[in-house]
């Protein structure tokens, strides 16, 4: 791996040139990528109030999958709610499950979920509602998860992006034995023989 270090500066220069070329191509095609849309929206909301941008005020915001929020998305949400503080006619609903955070490769940080739950967002304190009933799985699976998953999940640590396992209770009527595993045993490993 040390052989790659001498070419790193050249690779970084190449990436900057490739990004500049991509922006030129997108502009010539009258297109924009998602990241640019997001960054442009942030810049616009920093310059002008949301009422001027949309032509009307925003009173209600819903964000789903909040556990997969990245830094710029968090900034965008905070800018959207600039005038929410102390206004009882405005509402914010954030929905998420920190145990399901899977988009770190997109720079999503579960710490935003953990910190927002504790401290609020944009100066606004939020009321926490934990939904702990599972309607999708049978009791056997829920009990197994509650018995073994706490050993796998870490303790909560927003600096490290660690979310703990929170146990579930069964929320529906039991129908049969639930999910089971059926093993396929064969000596033939071709599609045709299966």
């Amino acid at each position: 791996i040390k052989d790659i270090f001498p070419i790193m500066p050249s690779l970084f220069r190449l990436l900057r040139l490739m990004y500049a070329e991509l922006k030129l191509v997108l502009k010539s095609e009258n297109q924009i990528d998602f990241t640019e849309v997001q960054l442009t929206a942030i810049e616009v909301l920093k310059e002008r109030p949301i009422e001027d941008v949309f032509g009307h005020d925003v009173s209600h915001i819903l964000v789903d999958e909040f556990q997969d929020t990245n830094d710029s998305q968090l900034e965008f949400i905070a800018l959207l709610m600039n005038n929410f503080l102390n206004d009882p006619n405005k509402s914010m609903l954030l929905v998420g499950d920190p145990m399901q955070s899977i988009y770190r490769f997109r720079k999503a940080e579960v710490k935003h979920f953990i910190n927002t739950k504790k401290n609020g967002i944009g100066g606004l304190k939020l009321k926490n509602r934990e939904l702990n009933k599972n309607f999708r799985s049978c009791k056997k699976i829920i009990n197994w998860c509650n018995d073994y998953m706490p050993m796998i999940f870490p303790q909560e640590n927003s600096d490290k992006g660690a979310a703990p396992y929170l146990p579930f209770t069964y929320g529906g009527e039991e129908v049969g034995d639930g999910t089971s595993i059926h093993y396929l045993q064969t000596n033939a490993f071709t599609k045709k023989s299966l």
Side-chain angles (χ1 to χ4, degrees):
I1 197 166
K2 63 182 174 183
D3 294 340
I4 199 168
F5 287 119
I7 65 169
M8 293 300 281
S10 297
L11 287 175
F12 288 133
R13 280 194 299 278
L14 180 61
L15 283 173
R16 280 195 298 275
L17 290 171
M18 290 171 64
Y19 180 66
E21 181 66 23
L22 174 64
K23 288 181 81 166
L24 288 172
V25 169
L26 289 173
K27 187 174 184 176
S28 72
E29 299 285 328
N30 201 24
Q31 295 181 359
I32 188 168
D33 70 357
F34 179 75
T35 303
E36 288 295 321
V37 169
Q38 189 174 358
L39 294 174
T40 302
I42 289 170
E43 290 307 312
V44 168
L45 288 175
K46 283 180 178 178
E47 295 170 6
R48 298 188 317 223
I50 194 163
E51 307 85 52
D52 292 350
V53 175
F54 288 133
H56 59 81
D57 196 7
V58 172
S59 300
H60 310 287
I61 298 175
L62 164 66
V63 180
D64 196 9
E65 303 294 348
F66 189 72
Q67 77 276 359
D68 290 321
T69 302
N70 64 34
D71 293 343
S72 57
Q73 290 167 333
L74 186 69
E75 182 181 9
F76 177 69
I77 293 165
L79 287 166
L80 281 176
M81 338 171 13
N82 261 346
N83 61 357
F84 272 47
L85 204 55
N86 300 320
D87 188 338
N89 297 316
K90 299 190 183 243
S91 65
M92 157 73 77
L93 177 62
L94 305 175
V95 179
D97 181 351
M99 293 187 295
Q100 293 184 28
S101 182
I102 60 171
Y103 286 103
R104 193 141 196 197
F105 69 92
R106 279 189 331 145
K107 299 183 180 179
E109 296 285 347
V110 74
K111 72 179 178 182
H112 296 318
F113 182 96
I114 295 167
N115 291 338
T116 300
K117 181 177 162 184
K118 288 180 187 173
N119 307 319
I121 184 172
L124 187 67
K125 286 285 188 181
L126 303 173
K127 294 178 186 173
N128 183 41
R129 300 283 187 259
E130 288 187 3
L131 306 177
N132 63 357
K133 287 190 178 179
N134 183 321
F135 294 92
R136 295 181 178 176
S137 303
C138 68
K139 282 184 187 177
K140 281 183 179 179
I141 291 176
I142 293 170
N143 290 339
W144 184 90
C145 289
N146 287 340
D147 289 342
Y148 294 102
M149 291 307 222
M151 294 181 271
I152 298 169
F153 277 73
Q155 296 298 311
E156 184 175 286
N157 183 329
S158 64
D159 293 333
K160 293 183 178 178
Y165 178 80
L166 299 174
F168 287 93
T169 58
Y170 181 67
E173 291 183 33
E174 194 65 46
V175 180
D177 289 334
T179 305
S180 60
I181 299 172
H182 301 280
Y183 296 97
L184 172 64
Q185 295 180 339
T186 181
N187 291 329
F189 292 103
T190 64
K191 282 185 180 179
K192 188 175 182 183
S193 63
L194 292 176

